[in-house]
Amino acid sequence: MIRLRGVTKRYDGRVLFAGLDLDLVPGRTTVVTGPSGCGKSTLLRLCNQLERHDEGAVSLAPIEIPAGLPHAAWQRRAAELRRRTGMVFQGYHLFPHLSVLANVTLAPRVVQGAARAVAEAKARQLLELVGMAAAADRFPARLSGGESQRVAIARALATEPEVLLLDEPTSALDPASTADVVAVISDLRRRGVTQMLVTHDPQLAKALADELVQLG
Amino acid sequence: MLRLLVSLALAAVGSAQSPLPQRYRDAGVLRWGADAEGGAPFVFVDGTRPGAGEVGFEVDLARELGVVLGVELRRVQAPYESLVQVLDRGDCDLVLNGFEPTPARRELVRFTRPYYVFQQQLSVGPGVTGVRGLADLVGRRVGVLGQSQSHQVLLAQPGIDIVVYESNVTAYEDVVNGRTAASLADLPIARALRPLFPRLVDVGEPFGAYYYAIAVRRGEPELQRALDEAIGALLANGTLERIYREWELWVPAEARLGDRDVVDAFARDGDDRAAAELHWGAVLSLLGTGALRTLGISVVSFALAVLLGLAIALLRLHGPRPLRWCAVAYVELLRGTPILVQMLLLYYGLGQIEGLRLDAVTAGVLGLALNYAAFEAEIYRGALSAIPRGQREAAQALGFTGAQALRHIVVPQALRLSLAPSTNDFIALFKDSSIVMVITVVELTKQYQMLANATGRFIVLGFVTSGLYLLMSLPLAYLARRFERRLDRDRA
Ligand SMILES: Nc1ncnc2c1ncn2[C@@H]1O[C@H](COP(=O)(O)OP(=O)(O)OP(=O)(O)O)[C@@H](O)[C@H]1O
Ligand SMILES: [Mg+2]
């Protein structure tokens, strides 16, 4: 599982973390909390290498990504790592030119080479799981925030990642939508999906955390 | 001084019989229309000597006519193809510019007695053998200036593959390049251009007898008669011969200028003959063929422009540094220079190199594509930059490589953003495509010009031609608007 060892991250010479260790526990949900600007999102993005670290190592056995790799080698390993993780963004980032169904099937088809029929059957199951089966043929511009976030979760799960990373998945949502999304995340937690969730909402942290990491 | 006196005396005599209409005498000016771009020896700008300015045998002739008529002759610049219209609109009073009294022109304007007899000269390329005259040209490509007397002569000889040019220089250029086997030209032009094309070989003696005459508006017989007498005076006192000898244009055939049948060749009684009926079947088939060619050229060149433009935009944003610079240079170069120059370079410039001699349609399509690619590249660059960073990150987080993210996520969205501006560009290209006529491609606009010049029916044919353009471009405009609306909806 994802493991950080002695990870240091600096922005413009300012140290955000120094020598941080972190182990995600398989089958459990790790919640990261802390005040705004303390580096929660950055920590999450280090886990799938959307950000590079300055010292230490990030690994997901057998992939090992020490700091300071040459760019090409880092790119290769980072892409490999990302193929085994899923990510849900605060702002959804659905692909607006694709239908809900195509949003979910694109990565399996392009990255994993899945056949269309297989990918679609799988995608419909996932949409069922997040309660969005009826929206398969709609386009993202026609979805509410909560619906978008649930589709984003289905999209992230479609490549069968070993771990799901969620960055403030509810902070842009109204209470009703938040409840829908939290229900989905709780459901995944019950099913034993390994998750790492960033939030600044203490209530949400308490409700969802198997492991709690306090930053800042 | 003596000559001036003689001229004045003649002018006095002339005015006694056929005076210049009062309004011209009051103004003291006759404006003559001519195209200085037509080149030597008619009216041209001499760039080889300091301070020479506008020269030509017609400049000298105009000056002498002014002396005889007692007014100043002031030149008005107008494109050769539009001289009749410029005259009709009243922007000049007469046309003096190697103007041949073709039947079509005689429908529209009134001609004076001829002031010059010209003949035809056939010239072949350096490697061409077995051509002794027109009869040997059957099955060969022969270049000629569009709407010229030479064009008519070639049309009268069946079986020749005629290539129509915008200028005699480019027609000769292609003979030297080997794109055509020969070119037929009016003798004065052939003589004047000979120093520029030392490798051309003149074949046979000059032949035929054709005339240059001055054109005036139909409703001005008095002006015509005044000019007739002035020309007669200049012929009688030897001024014409002196001018033509100075320009090395005097040929034995000039002796006929005084013959009665030559003098009266284009005289008209003043009544308006009915304009010839257009044969609409033939006209529509010609214009339709031109329209199809315009459409074909536009579609193919725009498709190429889109592909090339996208490649350039991607290189500029995501390519390795040296290629990025190349992309920037390409865009600035092609956007910053006139497409006309690019087109001429592509066809005539490259044409001088053996392996790079493109045929006209290929060069036209390529020229339009290369030019429009620069504009498309800028549209796509803007659209690519407008796709939010989060889109690429989301793709990366799913394990896409950089290239996969571009191909499946960024480019498709950018293309959708570009649809409306791109479609507008296509409409622009569609209309710009008439520029390929400068490299001998006969498309809709060129076909219109040729038909209108041959029949004199500029207005009705102009409406039909515009209608054909609209018929093709309106659906495109409609599509562009639909794309825009659809995009607004997607963003809602
Ligand atoms: N690309 C960057 N360049 C420079 N500084 C950055 C960059 N990204 C983040 N930071 C800084 O790093 C710090 C941590 O940012 P991060 O987004 O991880 O915080 P966060 O805990 O997620 O905050 P929030 O709760 O507001 O989302 C902030 O001070 C931020 O300004
Ligand atoms: Mg954050």
Side-chain angles (χ1 to χ4, degrees):
Chain A
M1 190 37 62
I2 288 185
R3 156 185 295 211
L4 274 61
R5 279 294 171 268
V7 166
T8 298
K9 175 66 186 174
R10 284 187 287 263
Y11 276 124
D12 314 321
R14 200 164 58 88
V15 176
L16 204 51
F17 327 110
L20 187 80
D21 292 342
L22 178 75
D23 282 285
L24 295 189
V25 186
R28 293 172 72 85
T29 296
T30 303
V31 175
V32 180
T33 60
S36 180
C38 69
K40 303 182 296 291
S41 296
T42 304
L43 177 61
L44 199 72
R45 292 160 62 85
L46 280 170
C47 288
N48 71 351
Q49 291 288 295
L50 284 178
E51 300 286 349
R52 288 191 75 169
H53 49 292
D54 298 295
E55 284 167 32
V58 174
S59 61
L60 176 58
I63 308 164
E64 175 83 18
I65 306 181
L69 279 180
H71 187 74
W74 169 74
Q75 261 193 331
R76 217 170 23 249
R77 289 190 205 184
E80 216 178 315
L81 176 81
R82 290 184 201 128
R83 262 172 240 138
R84 292 169 55 190
T85 62
M87 178 138 178
V88 175
F89 298 84
Q90 180 178 358
Y92 336 127
H93 298 339
L94 292 180
F95 305 133
H97 61 302
L98 299 176
S99 70
V100 163
L101 187 67
N103 260 276
V104 182
T105 57
L106 188 67
R109 296 188 58 200
V110 171
V111 177
Q112 301 177 324
R116 184 196 186 106
V118 175
E120 285 187 354
K122 176 86 181 308
R124 285 184 197 281
Q125 275 176 14
L126 285 169
L127 288 172
E128 190 81 49
L129 183 75
V130 300
M132 289 298 292
D137 296 323
R138 280 155 71 186
F139 278 79
R142 291 271 180 276
L143 300 178
S144 74
E147 292 171 327
S148 296
Q149 199 56 295
R150 284 184 281 154
V151 172
I153 293 172
R155 180 179 71 177
L157 291 171
T159 49
E160 302 186 339
E162 291 161 45
V163 52
L164 186 62
L165 309 170
L166 305 107
D167 189 0
E168 313 250 17
T170 60
S171 65
L173 304 179
D174 61 54
S177 302
T178 299
D180 291 342
V181 171
V182 169
V184 168
I185 296 170
S186 309
D187 184 32
L188 294 175
R189 180 180 171 217
R190 259 196 314 281
R191 289 164 188 259
V193 175
T194 310
Q195 298 182 98
M196 176 173 174
L197 180 139
V198 160
T199 180
H200 61 251
D201 177 351
Q203 255 177 309
L204 191 64
K206 214 150 83 205
L208 293 173
D210 296 316
E211 317 281 330
L212 194 63
V213 176
Q214 184 76 40
L215 277 186
Chain B
M1 191 63 200
L2 180 65
R3 206 180 76 222
L4 187 66
L5 282 177
V6 170
S7 301
L8 285 175
L10 283 168
V13 170
S15 58
Q17 290 174 2
S18 298
L20 193 61
Q22 187 64 43
R23 62 190 182 100
Y24 295 121
R25 276 185 288 160
D26 289 348
V29 172
L30 267 178
R31 295 162 306 159
W32 60 291
D35 188 357
E37 212 191 304
F42 303 92
V43 183
F44 61 105
V45 179
D46 187 352
T48 62
R49 282 174 297 154
E54 223 169 77
V55 297
F57 82 92
E58 287 174 340
V59 175
D60 295 348
L61 178 57
R63 193 182 307 116
E64 297 296 339
L65 285 171
V67 171
V68 174
L69 293 168
V71 291
E72 179 201 347
L73 261 80
R74 189 180 297 161
R75 195 179 75 82
V76 173
Q77 169 62 29
Y80 189 82
E81 313 80 54
S82 324
L83 284 171
V84 167
Q85 286 76 358
V86 170
L87 176 68
D88 253 351
R89 286 168 38 92
D91 292 340
C92 64
D93 306 312
L94 55 98
V95 171
L96 168 58
N97 198 197
F99 221 49
E100 301 136 20
T102 59
R105 283 182 184 145
R106 293 181 64 203
E107 300 285 344
L108 302 166
V109 295
R110 176 181 287 279
F111 279 96
T112 64
R113 64 182 283 179
Y115 60 84
Y116 185 76
V117 180
F118 70 93
Q119 298 182 293
Q120 295 294 308
Q121 179 63 59
L122 183 63
S123 313
V124 297
V128 177
T129 54
V131 175
R132 241 167 255 98
L134 287 188
D136 303 320
L137 293 176
V138 172
R140 302 206 195 218
R141 283 164 67 79
V142 181
V144 71
L145 176 68
Q147 313 312 317
S148 64
Q149 186 63 56
S150 315
H151 193 184
Q152 298 303 317
V153 172
L154 288 185
L155 285 172
Q157 183 84 27
I160 297 177
D161 187 0
I162 301 174
V163 186
V164 176
Y165 289 82
E166 298 279 295
S167 93
N168 285 94
V169 173
T170 46
Y172 278 149
E173 194 89 44
D174 270 1
V175 180
V176 175
N177 288 339
R179 279 203 185 100
T180 54
S183 178
L184 188 68
D186 297 352
L187 185 64
I189 299 169
R191 289 257 165 100
L193 293 180
R194 185 55 68 252
L196 296 180
F197 300 96
R199 296 175 64 207
L200 286 185
V201 183
D202 286 346
V203 174
E205 287 298 308
F207 63 90
Y210 311 94
Y211 307 98
Y212 294 144
I214 298 173
V216 300
R217 280 178 287 272
R218 293 183 68 157
E220 302 205 58
E222 305 84 7
L223 178 59
Q224 179 221 317
R225 279 194 287 276
L227 287 166
D228 278 345
E229 285 182 16
I231 292 168
L234 293 177
L235 178 65
N237 69 11
T239 306
L240 281 188
E241 180 168 351
R242 176 179 59 75
I243 293 175
Y244 297 157
R245 283 196 191 279
E246 273 173 20
W247 288 94
E248 292 174 25
L249 291 171
W250 183 265
V251 289
E254 303 307 323
R256 297 187 49 203
L257 276 176
D259 291 357
R260 195 73 249 164
D261 59 325
V262 173
V263 172
D264 292 336
F266 309 110
R268 57 190 306 157
D269 28 33
D271 65 336
D272 294 0
R273 267 182 289 163
E277 274 300 306
L278 284 179
H279 187 293
W280 280 106
V283 164
L284 287 179
S285 139
L286 282 172
L287 288 179
T289 310
L292 283 181
R293 177 159 271 191
T294 288
L295 194 64
I297 287 173
S298 304
V299 167
V300 175
S301 53
F302 195 70
L304 290 174
V306 164
L307 293 177
L308 188 58
L310 186 59
I312 291 166
L314 285 171
L315 273 185
R316 182 156 179 184
L317 290 174
H318 303 290
R321 189 143 310 184
L323 284 180
R324 256 185 252 179
W325 291 332
C326 292
V328 173
Y330 180 92
V331 168
E332 295 311 329
L333 188 71
L334 275 283
R335 277 200 317 179
T337 56
I339 186 169
L340 177 66
V341 175
Q342 295 165 16
M343 200 66 94
L344 291 174
L345 276 177
L346 197 63
Y347 186 68
Y348 296 110
L350 280 189
Q352 308 200 333
I353 306 165
E354 190 72 48
L356 297 174
R357 196 160 299 153
L358 304 170
D359 72 82
V361 173
T362 309
V365 166
L366 209 58
L368 285 167
L370 292 176
N371 181 269
Y372 269 79
F375 291 90
E376 292 313 291
E378 284 301 281
I379 291 180
Y380 300 145
R381 186 170 68 98
L384 287 166
S385 316
I387 306 304
R389 223 175 96 86
Q391 290 291 309
R392 275 190 89 181
E393 280 198 343
Q396 276 174 344
L398 286 165
F400 285 61
T401 63
Q404 285 172 333
L406 275 181
R407 163 143 185 248
H408 294 281
I409 306 301
V410 180
V411 169
Q413 292 185 52
L415 286 181
R416 286 159 63 87
L417 278 182
S418 317
L419 263 181
S422 255
T423 312
N424 285 328
D425 259 12
F426 182 46
I427 296 172
L429 177 145
F430 182 67
K431 288 181 293 180
D432 276 1
S433 68
S434 64
I435 192 148
V436 299
M437 75 170 76
V438 302
I439 56 172
T440 78
V441 179
V442 179
E443 42 63 74
L444 183 51
T445 298
K446 181 70 186 175
Q447 191 62 259
Y448 159 69
Q449 282 185 358
M450 300 203 305
L451 269 173
N453 273 306
T455 61
R457 307 288 287 272
F458 288 90
I459 293 172
V460 63
L461 290 174
F463 275 118
V464 174
T465 304
S466 305
L468 283 170
Y469 271 110
L470 273 181
L471 211 64
M472 295 187 283
S473 71
L474 278 182
L476 287 171
Y478 171 75
L479 268 186
R481 271 198 306 280
R482 270 194 52 166
F483 289 145
E484 252 157 27
R485 276 206 298 273
R486 177 126 141 240
L487 205 62
D488 289 346
R489 213 179 51 208
D490 282 4
R491 282 194 187 135

mmCIF file of all heavy atoms in Angstrom, chain A residues 11-44:
data_model
loop_
_atom_site.group_PDB
_atom_site.id
_atom_site.type_symbol
_atom_site.label_atom_id
_atom_site.label_comp_id
_atom_site.label_asym_id
_atom_site.label_seq_id
_atom_site.Cartn_x
_atom_site.Cartn_y
_atom_site.Cartn_z
ATOM 1 N N TYR A 11 7.924 24.604 -1.174
ATOM 2 C CA TYR A 11 7.467 25.508 -2.246
ATOM 3 C C TYR A 11 8.282 26.775 -2.151
ATOM 4 O O TYR A 11 8.263 27.436 -1.118
ATOM 5 C CB TYR A 11 5.986 25.864 -2.078
ATOM 6 C CG TYR A 11 5.034 24.851 -2.655
ATOM 7 C CD1 TYR A 11 4.051 24.275 -1.877
ATOM 8 C CD2 TYR A 11 5.126 24.486 -4.006
ATOM 9 C CE1 TYR A 11 3.165 23.352 -2.411
ATOM 10 C CE2 TYR A 11 4.235 23.567 -4.539
ATOM 11 C CZ TYR A 11 3.262 23.010 -3.748
ATOM 12 O OH TYR A 11 2.390 22.108 -4.273
ATOM 13 N N ASP A 12 8.969 27.124 -3.193
ATOM 14 C CA ASP A 12 9.738 28.373 -3.221
ATOM 15 C C ASP A 12 10.595 28.502 -1.963
ATOM 16 O O ASP A 12 10.626 29.546 -1.319
ATOM 17 C CB ASP A 12 8.810 29.601 -3.327
ATOM 18 C CG ASP A 12 7.737 29.413 -4.381
ATOM 19 O OD1 ASP A 12 8.071 28.842 -5.437
ATOM 20 O OD2 ASP A 12 6.574 29.814 -4.146
ATOM 21 N N GLY A 13 11.243 27.425 -1.577
ATOM 22 C CA GLY A 13 12.131 27.480 -0.426
ATOM 23 C C GLY A 13 11.411 27.365 0.915
ATOM 24 O O GLY A 13 12.028 27.176 1.951
ATOM 25 N N ARG A 14 10.057 27.452 0.899
ATOM 26 C CA ARG A 14 9.306 27.311 2.148
ATOM 27 C C ARG A 14 8.998 25.830 2.366
ATOM 28 O O ARG A 14 8.512 25.162 1.456
ATOM 29 C CB ARG A 14 8.000 28.104 2.028
ATOM 30 C CG ARG A 14 7.350 28.458 3.351
ATOM 31 C CD ARG A 14 6.306 29.556 3.133
ATOM 32 N NE ARG A 14 5.294 29.149 2.167
ATOM 33 C CZ ARG A 14 4.171 28.486 2.517
ATOM 34 N NH1 ARG A 14 3.941 28.190 3.785
ATOM 35 N NH2 ARG A 14 3.292 28.148 1.604
ATOM 36 N N VAL A 15 9.339 25.343 3.581
ATOM 37 C CA VAL A 15 9.139 23.916 3.841
ATOM 38 C C VAL A 15 7.696 23.663 4.255
ATOM 39 O O VAL A 15 7.197 24.281 5.190
ATOM 40 C CB VAL A 15 10.094 23.426 4.958
ATOM 41 C CG1 VAL A 15 9.810 21.965 5.286
ATOM 42 C CG2 VAL A 15 11.538 23.609 4.515
ATOM 43 N N LEU A 16 7.008 22.761 3.539
ATOM 44 C CA LEU A 16 5.624 22.436 3.873
ATOM 45 C C LEU A 16 5.589 21.225 4.819
ATOM 46 O O LEU A 16 4.932 21.264 5.848
ATOM 47 C CB LEU A 16 4.854 22.143 2.585
ATOM 48 C CG LEU A 16 3.360 22.341 2.612
ATOM 49 C CD1 LEU A 16 2.980 23.711 3.150
ATOM 50 C CD2 LEU A 16 2.803 22.177 1.201
ATOM 51 N N PHE A 17 6.290 20.163 4.406
ATOM 52 C CA PHE A 17 6.529 19.042 5.338
ATOM 53 C C PHE A 17 8.016 18.744 5.315
ATOM 54 O O PHE A 17 8.670 18.912 4.291
ATOM 55 C CB PHE A 17 5.858 17.724 4.938
ATOM 56 C CG PHE A 17 4.564 17.878 4.236
ATOM 57 C CD1 PHE A 17 4.456 17.570 2.890
ATOM 58 C CD2 PHE A 17 3.446 18.298 4.941
ATOM 59 C CE1 PHE A 17 3.260 17.689 2.242
ATOM 60 C CE2 PHE A 17 2.248 18.420 4.285
ATOM 61 C CZ PHE A 17 2.144 18.114 2.946
ATOM 62 N N ALA A 18 8.501 18.203 6.465
ATOM 63 C CA ALA A 18 9.891 17.761 6.511
ATOM 64 C C ALA A 18 9.911 16.359 7.102
ATOM 65 O O ALA A 18 9.372 16.125 8.181
ATOM 66 C CB ALA A 18 10.732 18.720 7.345
ATOM 67 N N GLY A 19 10.483 15.432 6.363
ATOM 68 C CA GLY A 19 10.674 14.066 6.850
ATOM 69 C C GLY A 19 9.396 13.373 7.272
ATOM 70 O O GLY A 19 9.346 12.681 8.290
ATOM 71 N N LEU A 20 8.343 13.539 6.480
ATOM 72 C CA LEU A 20 7.046 12.963 6.839
ATOM 73 C C LEU A 20 6.987 11.468 6.514
ATOM 74 O O LEU A 20 7.398 11.038 5.443
ATOM 75 C CB LEU A 20 5.944 13.696 6.062
ATOM 76 C CG LEU A 20 4.510 13.339 6.417
ATOM 77 C CD1 LEU A 20 4.074 14.076 7.682
ATOM 78 C CD2 LEU A 20 3.591 13.698 5.264
ATOM 79 N N ASP A 21 6.473 10.674 7.466
ATOM 80 C CA ASP A 21 6.206 9.252 7.222
ATOM 81 C C ASP A 21 4.703 9.043 7.235
ATOM 82 O O ASP A 21 3.998 9.627 8.052
ATOM 83 C CB ASP A 21 6.811 8.385 8.338
ATOM 84 C CG ASP A 21 8.331 8.421 8.305
ATOM 85 O OD1 ASP A 21 8.879 8.804 7.248
ATOM 86 O OD2 ASP A 21 8.946 8.093 9.331
ATOM 87 N N LEU A 22 4.217 8.194 6.340
ATOM 88 C CA LEU A 22 2.782 7.892 6.325
ATOM 89 C C LEU A 22 2.583 6.524 5.712
ATOM 90 O O LEU A 22 3.182 6.191 4.688
ATOM 91 C CB LEU A 22 2.030 8.957 5.507
ATOM 92 C CG LEU A 22 0.525 8.755 5.353
ATOM 93 C CD1 LEU A 22 -0.201 9.096 6.650
ATOM 94 C CD2 LEU A 22 -0.024 9.607 4.212
ATOM 95 N N ASP A 23 1.741 5.690 6.347
ATOM 96 C CA ASP A 23 1.389 4.388 5.788
ATOM 97 C C ASP A 23 -0.117 4.310 5.661
ATOM 98 O O ASP A 23 -0.826 4.475 6.655
ATOM 99 C CB ASP A 23 1.856 3.267 6.730
ATOM 100 C CG ASP A 23 3.328 3.022 6.589
ATOM 101 O OD1 ASP A 23 3.726 2.409 5.567
ATOM 102 O OD2 ASP A 23 4.084 3.478 7.471
ATOM 103 N N LEU A 24 -0.607 4.083 4.462
ATOM 104 C CA LEU A 24 -2.038 3.843 4.326
ATOM 105 C C LEU A 24 -2.297 2.383 4.655
ATOM 106 O O LEU A 24 -1.507 1.502 4.287
ATOM 107 C CB LEU A 24 -2.508 4.158 2.908
ATOM 108 C CG LEU A 24 -2.405 5.620 2.482
ATOM 109 C CD1 LEU A 24 -3.103 5.839 1.146
ATOM 110 C CD2 LEU A 24 -2.979 6.552 3.531
ATOM 111 N N VAL A 25 -3.395 2.145 5.372
ATOM 112 C CA VAL A 25 -3.687 0.780 5.807
ATOM 113 C C VAL A 25 -4.700 0.169 4.841
ATOM 114 O O VAL A 25 -5.757 0.749 4.607
ATOM 115 C CB VAL A 25 -4.274 0.789 7.238
ATOM 116 C CG1 VAL A 25 -4.433 -0.639 7.741
ATOM 117 C CG2 VAL A 25 -3.395 1.613 8.166
ATOM 118 N N PRO A 26 -4.385 -0.993 4.270
ATOM 119 C CA PRO A 26 -5.286 -1.606 3.297
ATOM 120 C C PRO A 26 -6.665 -1.849 3.909
ATOM 121 O O PRO A 26 -6.769 -2.274 5.056
ATOM 122 C CB PRO A 26 -4.607 -2.947 2.959
ATOM 123 C CG PRO A 26 -3.192 -2.783 3.358
ATOM 124 C CD PRO A 26 -3.149 -1.786 4.456
ATOM 125 N N GLY A 27 -7.691 -1.524 3.144
ATOM 126 C CA GLY A 27 -9.051 -1.794 3.578
ATOM 127 C C GLY A 27 -9.598 -0.749 4.533
ATOM 128 O O GLY A 27 -10.726 -0.867 4.985
ATOM 129 N N ARG A 28 -8.818 0.224 4.860
ATOM 130 C CA ARG A 28 -9.299 1.214 5.830
ATOM 131 C C ARG A 28 -9.292 2.617 5.227
ATOM 132 O O ARG A 28 -8.639 2.891 4.233
ATOM 133 C CB ARG A 28 -8.443 1.172 7.097
ATOM 134 C CG ARG A 28 -8.633 -0.153 7.840
ATOM 135 C CD ARG A 28 -7.671 -0.310 8.985
ATOM 136 N NE ARG A 28 -7.966 0.558 10.127
ATOM 137 C CZ ARG A 28 -8.827 0.263 11.097
ATOM 138 N NH1 ARG A 28 -9.530 -0.855 11.033
ATOM 139 N NH2 ARG A 28 -8.993 1.076 12.119
ATOM 140 N N THR A 29 -10.042 3.506 5.855
ATOM 141 C CA THR A 29 -10.157 4.874 5.377
ATOM 142 C C THR A 29 -9.339 5.795 6.278
ATOM 143 O O THR A 29 -9.585 5.871 7.477
ATOM 144 C CB THR A 29 -11.622 5.314 5.370
ATOM 145 O OG1 THR A 29 -12.346 4.518 4.429
ATOM 146 C CG2 THR A 29 -11.748 6.786 4.971
ATOM 147 N N THR A 30 -8.340 6.434 5.676
ATOM 148 C CA THR A 30 -7.495 7.370 6.410
ATOM 149 C C THR A 30 -7.988 8.784 6.136
ATOM 150 O O THR A 30 -8.122 9.177 4.976
ATOM 151 C CB THR A 30 -6.025 7.241 5.942
ATOM 152 O OG1 THR A 30 -5.610 5.889 6.116
ATOM 153 C CG2 THR A 30 -5.127 8.197 6.704
ATOM 154 N N VAL A 31 -8.290 9.531 7.178
ATOM 155 C CA VAL A 31 -8.757 10.902 6.990
ATOM 156 C C VAL A 31 -7.661 11.866 7.425
ATOM 157 O O VAL A 31 -7.075 11.705 8.488
ATOM 158 C CB VAL A 31 -10.047 11.159 7.794
ATOM 159 C CG1 VAL A 31 -10.446 12.631 7.688
ATOM 160 C CG2 VAL A 31 -11.167 10.266 7.290
ATOM 161 N N VAL A 32 -7.371 12.833 6.541
ATOM 162 C CA VAL A 32 -6.375 13.850 6.854
ATOM 163 C C VAL A 32 -7.102 15.157 7.111
ATOM 164 O O VAL A 32 -7.879 15.607 6.275
ATOM 165 C CB VAL A 32 -5.378 14.018 5.690
ATOM 166 C CG1 VAL A 32 -4.338 15.080 6.004
ATOM 167 C CG2 VAL A 32 -4.721 12.688 5.364
ATOM 168 N N THR A 33 -6.864 15.751 8.269
ATOM 169 C CA THR A 33 -7.480 17.060 8.540
ATOM 170 C C THR A 33 -6.404 18.057 8.934
ATOM 171 O O THR A 33 -5.254 17.694 9.173
ATOM 172 C CB THR A 33 -8.509 16.997 9.685
ATOM 173 O OG1 THR A 33 -7.835 16.548 10.854
ATOM 174 C CG2 THR A 33 -9.667 16.098 9.320
ATOM 175 N N GLY A 34 -6.814 19.300 9.003
ATOM 176 C CA GLY A 34 -5.887 20.370 9.382
ATOM 177 C C GLY A 34 -6.411 21.674 8.843
ATOM 178 O O GLY A 34 -7.302 21.693 7.994
ATOM 179 N N PRO A 35 -5.854 22.745 9.334
ATOM 180 C CA PRO A 35 -6.338 24.062 8.903
ATOM 181 C C PRO A 35 -6.018 24.332 7.443
ATOM 182 O O PRO A 35 -5.158 23.682 6.852
ATOM 183 C CB PRO A 35 -5.587 25.041 9.817
ATOM 184 C CG PRO A 35 -4.382 24.294 10.262
ATOM 185 C CD PRO A 35 -4.758 22.844 10.313
ATOM 186 N N SER A 36 -6.724 25.299 6.920
ATOM 187 C CA SER A 36 -6.533 25.648 5.518
ATOM 188 C C SER A 36 -5.099 26.074 5.244
ATOM 189 O O SER A 36 -4.489 26.779 6.043
ATOM 190 C CB SER A 36 -7.495 26.783 5.163
ATOM 191 O OG SER A 36 -7.319 27.124 3.812
ATOM 192 N N GLY A 37 -4.554 25.594 4.204
ATOM 193 C CA GLY A 37 -3.201 26.000 3.797
ATOM 194 C C GLY A 37 -2.111 25.194 4.461
ATOM 195 O O GLY A 37 -0.922 25.452 4.240
ATOM 196 N N CYS A 38 -2.480 24.170 5.247
ATOM 197 C CA CYS A 38 -1.444 23.431 5.954
ATOM 198 C C CYS A 38 -0.806 22.376 5.061
ATOM 199 O O CYS A 38 0.208 21.790 5.418
ATOM 200 C CB CYS A 38 -2.017 22.786 7.212
ATOM 201 S SG CYS A 38 -3.162 21.434 6.848
ATOM 202 N N GLY A 39 -1.403 22.099 3.935
ATOM 203 C CA GLY A 39 -0.759 21.168 3.009
ATOM 204 C C GLY A 39 -1.495 19.861 2.809
ATOM 205 O O GLY A 39 -0.927 18.887 2.316
ATOM 206 N N LYS A 40 -2.795 19.828 3.108
ATOM 207 C CA LYS A 40 -3.560 18.587 2.962
ATOM 208 C C LYS A 40 -3.615 18.130 1.504
ATOM 209 O O LYS A 40 -3.316 16.979 1.189
ATOM 210 C CB LYS A 40 -5.003 18.793 3.480
ATOM 211 C CG LYS A 40 -5.096 19.268 4.913
ATOM 212 C CD LYS A 40 -6.525 19.406 5.387
ATOM 213 C CE LYS A 40 -7.318 20.474 4.634
ATOM 214 N NZ LYS A 40 -6.865 21.856 4.919
ATOM 215 N N SER A 41 -3.986 19.070 0.641
ATOM 216 C CA SER A 41 -4.094 18.710 -0.777
ATOM 217 C C SER A 41 -2.741 18.286 -1.319
ATOM 218 O O SER A 41 -2.635 17.315 -2.080
ATOM 219 C CB SER A 41 -4.595 19.896 -1.593
ATOM 220 O OG SER A 41 -5.902 20.231 -1.197
ATOM 221 N N THR A 42 -1.720 19.005 -0.890
ATOM 222 C CA THR A 42 -0.386 18.684 -1.386
ATOM 223 C C THR A 42 0.004 17.261 -0.982
ATOM 224 O O THR A 42 0.550 16.500 -1.784
ATOM 225 C CB THR A 42 0.631 19.702 -0.839
ATOM 226 O OG1 THR A 42 0.201 21.007 -1.204
ATOM 227 C CG2 THR A 42 2.014 19.429 -1.395
ATOM 228 N N LEU A 43 -0.317 16.894 0.262
ATOM 229 C CA LEU A 43 0.003 15.547 0.734
ATOM 230 C C LEU A 43 -0.690 14.498 -0.138
ATOM 231 O O LEU A 43 -0.088 13.517 -0.570
ATOM 232 C CB LEU A 43 -0.435 15.403 2.202
ATOM 233 C CG LEU A 43 -0.226 14.028 2.832
ATOM 234 C CD1 LEU A 43 1.264 13.668 2.824
ATOM 235 C CD2 LEU A 43 -0.778 13.985 4.257
ATOM 236 N N LEU A 44 -1.969 14.738 -0.416
ATOM 237 C CA LEU A 44 -2.732 13.800 -1.249
ATOM 238 C C LEU A 44 -2.119 13.690 -2.643
ATOM 239 O O LEU A 44 -1.982 12.603 -3.198
ATOM 240 C CB LEU A 44 -4.182 14.299 -1.348
ATOM 241 C CG LEU A 44 -5.223 13.284 -1.775
ATOM 242 C CD1 LEU A 44 -5.451 12.308 -0.632
ATOM 243 C CD2 LEU A 44 -6.533 13.991 -2.105
#
